Amino acid sequence: MGLLEDLQDRSGNVCELCGSTDNLTIYEVPPVSTGGFDGSALVCSTCKGQIEHPETTDVNHWRCLNDSMWSEYDAVKVLAWRMLSRLKSEGWPKDLLDMMYLEQETLEWAKATGEGVAEADKIIHRDANGAILENGDSVVLIKDLKVKGSSMVAKQGTAVRRISLDHENAEYIEGKVDGQQIVIITKYVKKV
Ligand SMILES: [Zn+2]
């Protein structure tokens, strides 16, 4: 059997999110690494359209997640988690989201597209003056810094170009000093 047949078989030939039978297609849940049976869901054109075009989202359509969030398939759980996250300001989706449990690996997959991450929840890196730092910015050190695990001292005034941000910690950035990639604490740098 092909993938479509496998998914039809798994779902009973209905949309795995809302139960509709209209225009069912395979939806590979991004970011697609493996795709296939475990990485895909069978969805109807209404669900697919709204997943891909957030501006067309009809909140009430997604009441269906009340049932489908309990799917035993990760691809379906990930889609449900993302839509509930997108809609959580409505109230009820937030309640459902709170009831959901995803294994760590599945949760990381769900979060991978950044869906539902409010601006306020995003980690924001700021320099000593409170200026927002972005990947690729250049900074200068505003004090001498000992480099962990080496005898090197990065001198005050050293320019660090093309920094990268630590996505888990707002206090850390990384950059090259004297050809060596080091971790730098944001409060000791100034954006240039
Ligand atoms: Zn659907």
Side-chain angles (χ1 to χ4, degrees):
M1 287 204 300
L3 177 60
L4 182 62
E5 288 77 15
D6 287 341
L7 292 175
Q8 285 170 336
D9 195 44
R10 167 172 106 182
S11 63
N13 208 13
V14 298
C15 173
E16 289 187 277
L17 294 170
C18 76
S20 163
T21 55
D22 288 344
N23 299 315
L24 300 174
T25 51
I26 297 171
Y27 183 73
E28 288 192 318
V29 182
V32 178
S33 50
T34 51
F37 187 76
D38 293 325
S40 307
L42 191 67
V43 300
C44 70
S45 51
T46 306
C47 287
K48 184 161 185 261
Q50 295 189 28
I51 289 168
E52 292 179 340
H53 303 283
E55 70 280 4
T56 66
T57 306
D58 165 21
V59 178
N60 280 323
H61 174 75
W62 296 98
R63 297 262 178 193
C64 60
L65 296 176
N66 205 355
D67 295 320
S68 48
M69 64 185 258
W70 304 109
S71 167
E72 61 185 290
Y73 301 104
D74 286 343
V76 180
K77 284 195 262 191
V78 164
L79 288 175
W81 188 94
R82 285 185 191 160
M83 288 311 296
L84 291 171
S85 297
R86 186 188 292 179
L87 302 172
K88 69 182 172 194
S89 62
E90 300 290 326
W92 62 263
K94 171 87 169 60
D95 295 339
L96 295 183
L97 202 55
D98 289 344
M99 281 192 277
M100 263 190 113
Y101 174 78
L102 300 182
E103 297 288 345
Q104 188 59 32
E105 207 177 311
T106 312
L107 187 61
E108 277 166 23
W109 179 15
K111 287 180 173 174
T113 54
E115 185 76 74
V117 180
E119 281 303 315
D121 295 341
K122 279 189 183 151
I123 291 185
I124 297 181
H125 295 69
R126 292 177 187 277
D127 75 358
N129 297 327
I132 292 176
L133 299 170
E134 309 270 11
N135 280 312
D137 279 351
S138 296
V139 298
V140 288
L141 306 183
I142 59 168
K143 62 173 273 187
D144 289 355
L145 299 177
K146 286 190 72 174
V147 178
K148 242 187 176 171
S150 89
S151 56
M152 185 176 137
V153 175
K155 290 283 185 197
Q156 180 179 349
T158 303
V160 184
R161 294 179 212 293
R162 301 189 54 78
I163 58 163
S164 54
L165 308 178
D166 182 320
H167 284 286
E168 306 205 322
N169 193 321
E171 290 180 1
Y172 295 138
I173 57 173
E174 285 188 30
K176 270 197 173 137
V177 173
D178 291 343
Q180 195 182 339
Q181 185 80 3
I182 63 168
V183 174
I184 305 165
I185 298 174
T186 51
K187 68 180 173 190
Y188 298 136
V189 304
K190 208 170 67 181
K191 184 168 167 165
V192 289

